[in-house]
Every structure is written in structure tokens, then in C-alpha cells.
């Protein structure tokens, strides 16, 4: 019985003929997403990121994004896992590259500035076997390019999948890193 009700509600939201309220200027939304680094070979529980953002639509269907994120990765060293944590904030602009007539399927391209703090091995440079970790924790900055495929489930609820590439010079790891993920956005006004 519960599955039927959820299916009916989902169909009503998906087939809703009302689409005149989409992509209005000055709409504010809260966005929550999760991603996985593309070079992650271990379990998702050890390699992931969470992002929380606020978006503000412009009058032409584009939007500004102001967000914060946490990324966790692990690296194998002999028989142990070395953790890497990255706390960051980003500001950027997304341009609408494609949309269908009903504005239910959209593709956006975004460019963002990113700055944050990275922590290697919980800030401990001496490893249990006596080796010294040369990477040090510190502030980093750079840019991010994003490609996002978005679909409106209703006039106020968006589901999206994205792929992004980070460029962070002066970092202890590779300068270029990519990840892909999914998320949701809910308009609050």
C-alpha cells in the first residue's frame, strides 16, 4: 500500500503540467549533494564528500552558488590507511547550456572559486613505522569546473547529477582532482 502511494505521488510530481514557475529570477534554494572521487579505489565509506550550498537564480535561468564542502579520502600506506580531510568553501556562477521546452531537463556549466584547509593524517607527520609524512596541512585555493544535469521533480524540487574537476595549485596532492555525484535542491521562496 505504501509503495503505491509513493508511486502515485511521484507520478503526480513528475507529470505535473504546471511549469510556469520554474527558473524565475531571485529564487533562493538550499542544495545538498554527495560525491565520490573518480580515483577512489576503496570503499565509499572511506572516500566521499558532502556539499551544502545556497543558490540564487538570475532572470535568465542561470544561478549563483555559494557553498561549503567536506571531503574525506584515504591513501594506502603499507598495511594502514592514511586519512586526508579537506574543508572548503566555494563561490561560482552556472550558465544554462541546454533546456527542454518544459524546463524539466537542464544542463548547466559552472565555474567556481574554491578555498579551504586540508589536513593530512590528522596532522601527524610521524607514521607508526618511523617514516615521516612530507605533506603538511595548510590553506589551499583554486578553481572548480562543473557540468550538471538537472531535472525538476516539481516546481520547487530539483534532482541533479554532476561531474566536477578541481584545480588546486600549491596543494600536497595532485593539482587536478575530479569527482562525480548526485544531489537535490529545494527552493525556499
Amino acid at each position: 500500500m505504501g509503495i503505491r502511494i509513493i508511486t502515485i505521488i511521484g507520478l503526480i510530481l513528475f507529470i505535473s503540467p504546471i511549469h510556469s514557475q520554474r527558473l524565475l529570477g531571485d529564487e533562493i534554494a538550499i542544495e545538498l549533494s554527495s560525491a565520490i572521487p573518480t580515483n577512489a579505489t576503496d570503499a565509499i565509506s572511506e572516500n566521499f564528500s558532502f556539499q551544502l550550498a545556497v543558490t540564487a537564480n538570475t532572470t535568465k535561468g542561470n544561478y549563483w552558488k555559494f557553498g561549503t564542502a567536506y571531503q574525506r579520502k584515504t591513501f594506502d600506506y603499507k598495511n594502514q590507511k592514511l586519512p586526508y580531510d579537506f574543508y572548503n568553501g566555494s563561490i561560482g556562477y552556472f550558465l544554462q547550456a541546454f533546456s527542454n521546452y518544459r524546463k524539466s531537463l537542464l544542463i548547466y556549466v559552472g565555474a567556481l572559486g574554491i578555498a579551504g584547509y586540508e589536513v593530512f593524517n590528522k596532522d601527524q607527520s610521524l607514521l607508526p613505522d618511523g617514516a615521516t609524512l612530507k605533506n603538511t596541512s595548510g590553506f589551499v585555493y583554486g578553481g572548480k569546473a562543473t557540468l550538471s544535469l538537472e531535472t525538476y521533480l516539481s516546481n520547487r524540487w530539483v534532482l541533479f547529477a554532476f561531474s566536477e574537476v578541481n584545480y588546486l595549485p600549491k596543494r600536497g596532492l595532485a593539482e587536478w582532482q575530479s569527482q562525480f555525484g548526485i544531489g537535490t535542491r529545494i527552493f525556499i521562496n
Side-chain angles (χ1 to χ4, degrees), residues 9-84:
I9 291 171
L11 287 173
I12 289 170
L13 291 174
F14 187 70
I15 299 174
S16 172
I18 302 169
H19 60 280
S20 62
Q21 299 300 313
R22 294 180 183 169
L23 302 176
L24 295 177
D26 299 327
E27 281 187 315
I28 306 294
I30 295 175
E31 179 177 295
L32 181 64
S33 61
S34 181
I36 301 169
T38 55
N39 60 351
T41 57
D42 293 331
I44 293 174
S45 64
E46 297 174 348
N47 296 283
F48 60 87
S49 77
F50 289 108
Q51 302 173 13
L52 178 64
V54 173
T55 63
N57 284 2
T58 65
T59 55
K60 295 186 179 183
N62 304 322
Y63 62 88
W64 285 94
K65 181 175 178 178
F66 308 91
T68 183
Y70 168 74
Q71 180 183 44
R72 164 55 76 96
K73 291 177 80 172
T74 57
F75 297 95
D76 292 329
Y77 175 74
K78 296 188 178 178
N79 291 331
Q80 53 187 314
K81 305 259 186 209
L82 300 179
Y84 165 77

Side-chain angles (χ1 to χ4, degrees), residues 104-119:
S104 61
L105 183 66
L106 303 110
I107 296 175
Y108 282 93
V109 176
L112 298 95
I114 185 171
Y117 190 78
E118 60 183 4
V119 179

Side-chain angles (χ1 to χ4, degrees), residues 134-145:
K134 290 187 177 183
N135 293 346
T136 60
S137 301
F139 288 98
V140 292
Y141 59 89
K144 180 189 301 190

Side-chain angles (χ1 to χ4, degrees), residues 39 71 73 164-166 171 173-179:
N39 60 351
Q71 180 183 44
K73 291 177 80 172
E164 59 189 18
V165 176
N166 296 345
R171 101 181 286 190
L173 297 176
E175 292 181 349
W176 294 93
Q177 285 191 334
S178 60
Q179 59 185 5

